[in-house]
């Protein structure tokens, strides 16, 4: 894992947007896996700027979102589909037919999940998967205990996740208890992974998934099994890491590292 520590949320967002933009420039028809939540809002804002100012072209880009609440129709204001249009898709030249977000109000979730996996395969797999991390260590809605072999499916949400996400809803009772989410197995098949996190409330869980043991109790720790992961944190989220000096050395000597390690 490459760990990049930035001083604040703004820098974290700029760096992660640069990583995504570089991927799109490298491969114009990149397949991106995208995340929702507070964390990536700044990253999407930066990407929109790169599109507007530097002409970053999304016309051939295809996107697959990680997850969606069960029961929420795409236009619902709390749906992740709405979030994505509001924060990114409406502001760049992505084509409507290239955007996939799990359908929360599907009549047949099992069949839908199967179809979603098929679409990812048909697109050639995900080139770059963007992830946030939940307070309980989840990626997507893969709550503690999720199998590392899991595929897109319906998952019941943890109490902590419901509480964390209640801020977006009028009352806690309105937060759906189930979500469709890509599985850990689905996520680990992406060619590259970019996880972003900010704020002190993520410090413990970041230390656990980066420097702790691989465990299904912190599903983000499964990323230790992947060969190409970049983690971009602000200083607050990185504040409980033990090997900060090493991460910073690697970053400051990137030219040397790239020459020797190839990345
Ligand atoms: P957040 O959510 O970005 O709103 O903190 C992250 C997540 O739950 O994956």
């Amino acid at each position: 894992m490459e760990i990049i520590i930035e001083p604040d949320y703004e820098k974290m967002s700029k760096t992660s947007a640069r990583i995504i933009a570089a991927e799109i420039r490298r491969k114009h028809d990149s397949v991106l896996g995208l995340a929702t939540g507070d964390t990536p809002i700044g990253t999407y804002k930066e990407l929109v700027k790169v599109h507007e100012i530097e002409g970053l072209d999304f016309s051939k880009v295809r996107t697959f979102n990680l997850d969606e609440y069960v029961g929420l129709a795409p236009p619902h204001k709390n749906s992740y589909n709405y979030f994505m249009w509001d924060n990114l898709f409406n502001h760049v030249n992505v084509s409507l037919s290239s955007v996939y977000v799990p359908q929360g109000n599907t009549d047949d979730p099992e069949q839908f999940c199967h179809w979603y996996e098929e679409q990812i395969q048909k697109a050639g797999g995900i080139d770059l998967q963007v992830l946030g991390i939940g307070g309980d260590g989840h990626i997507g809605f893969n709550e503690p205990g999720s199998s590392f072999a899991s595929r897109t499916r319906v998952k019941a949400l943890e109490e902590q996740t419901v509480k964390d996400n209640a801020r977006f809803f009028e009352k806690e009772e309105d937060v759906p208890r189930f979500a469709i989410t890509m599985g850990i197995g689905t996520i680990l098949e992406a060619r590259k992974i970019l996880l972003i996190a900010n704020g002190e409330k993520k410090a413990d869980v970041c230390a656990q998934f980066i420097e702790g043991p691989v465990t299904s109790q912190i599903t983000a720790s499964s990323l230790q099994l992947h060969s190409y992961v970049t983690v971009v944190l602000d200083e607050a989220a990185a504040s409980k890491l033990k090997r900060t000096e090493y991460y910073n050395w690697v970053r400051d000597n990137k030219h040397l590292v790239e020459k020797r390690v190839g990345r």
Side-chain angles (χ1 to χ4, degrees), residues 9 35-41 66-67 80 83 131-141 143 161 164-165 167-168 196-198 201-202:
Y9 179 77
T36 50
D38 278 340
T39 315
I41 290 177
L66 273 172
D67 46 18
Y80 287 162
F83 173 101
L131 299 172
I133 182 169
D136 63 0
H138 70 209
I139 46 176
F141 271 128
E143 300 290 32
T161 302
D164 285 349
N165 290 359
R167 66 190 188 281
F168 299 112
I196 54 180
N198 69 288
K201 64 180 195 303
K202 299 284 173 74

Side-chain angles (χ1 to χ4, degrees), residues 61-259:
V61 170
R62 289 148 305 156
T63 69
F64 287 89
N65 260 81
L66 273 172
D67 46 18
E68 178 62 283
Y69 290 116
V70 166
L72 301 194
H76 192 288
K77 285 222 162 187
N78 287 121
S79 76
Y80 287 162
N81 183 76
Y82 184 94
F83 173 101
M84 287 310 301
W85 283 94
D86 198 30
N87 285 287
L88 183 65
F89 300 150
N90 277 334
H91 313 288
V92 294
N93 63 331
V94 73
S95 133
L96 172 63
S97 60
S98 303
V99 159
Y100 294 80
V101 181
Q103 195 188 329
N105 63 342
T106 172
D107 289 336
D108 188 341
E110 202 177 323
Q111 202 211 327
F112 177 84
C113 293
H114 187 69
W115 176 85
Y116 201 68
E117 288 274 341
E118 268 178 8
Q119 301 317 301
I120 295 173
Q121 294 305 324
K122 273 195 194 155
I126 291 171
D127 292 303
L128 176 66
Q129 175 68 56
V130 180
L131 299 172
I133 182 169
D136 63 0
H138 70 209
I139 46 176
F141 271 128
N142 293 288
E143 300 290 32
S146 295
S147 161
F148 286 3
S150 53
R151 312 301 307 188
T152 303
R153 68 210 184 291
V154 173
K155 191 76 192 161
L157 304 186
E158 274 281 345
E159 194 58 31
Q160 185 180 342
T161 302
V162 171
K163 283 194 171 17
D164 285 349
N165 290 359
R167 66 190 188 281
F168 299 112
F169 292 80
E170 239 168 67
K171 27 189 202 327
E172 199 174 307
E173 301 86 83
D174 294 343
V175 184
R177 294 275 155 163
F178 294 91
I180 293 176
T181 180
M182 281 186 201
I184 303 284
T186 322
I187 293 170
L188 291 180
E189 276 173 16
R191 291 178 193 92
K192 296 178 194 163
I193 292 179
L194 167 66
L195 185 145
I196 54 180
N198 69 288
E200 214 186 315
K201 64 180 195 303
K202 299 284 173 74
D204 280 321
V205 87
C206 284
Q208 283 172 304
F209 96 86
I210 295 168
E211 295 177 341
V214 174
T215 166
S216 67
Q217 297 309 302
I218 303 282
T219 54
S221 70
S222 63
L223 301 180
Q224 292 181 29
L225 303 172
H226 193 281
S227 61
Y228 202 120
V229 178
T230 307
V231 180
V232 185
L233 305 174
D234 73 351
E235 270 173 12
S239 60
K240 302 254 169 87
L241 292 174
K242 292 200 175 73
R243 302 179 61 240
T244 310
E245 265 180 45
Y246 174 77
Y247 309 135
N248 290 339
W249 185 89
V250 171
R251 186 183 186 183
D252 294 344
N253 293 279
K254 202 158 170 62
H255 58 291
L256 270 183
V257 175
E258 272 169 5
K259 210 159 109 192

Side-chain angles (χ1 to χ4, degrees), residues 21-28 30 127 191-192:
E23 184 61 26
I24 297 172
R25 287 195 175 108
R26 187 189 68 82
K27 186 177 173 219
H28 294 295
S30 279
D127 292 303
R191 291 178 193 92
K192 296 178 194 163

Side-chain angles (χ1 to χ4, degrees), residues 16-34 43-44 46-51 54-63 88-89 92-94 127-130 192 194:
S16 44
R18 284 280 153 208
I19 293 170
I20 300 167
E23 184 61 26
I24 297 172
R25 287 195 175 108
R26 187 189 68 82
K27 186 177 173 219
H28 294 295
D29 60 348
S30 279
V31 180
L32 301 179
L34 296 177
T43 303
Y44 295 151
E46 286 299 325
L47 268 183
V48 171
K49 270 196 217 159
V50 181
H51 166 69
E54 298 171 25
L56 182 68
D57 182 16
F58 285 77
S59 62
K60 296 203 170 61
V61 170
R62 289 148 305 156
T63 69
L88 183 65
F89 300 150
V92 294
N93 63 331
V94 73
D127 292 303
L128 176 66
Q129 175 68 56
V130 180
K192 296 178 194 163
L194 167 66

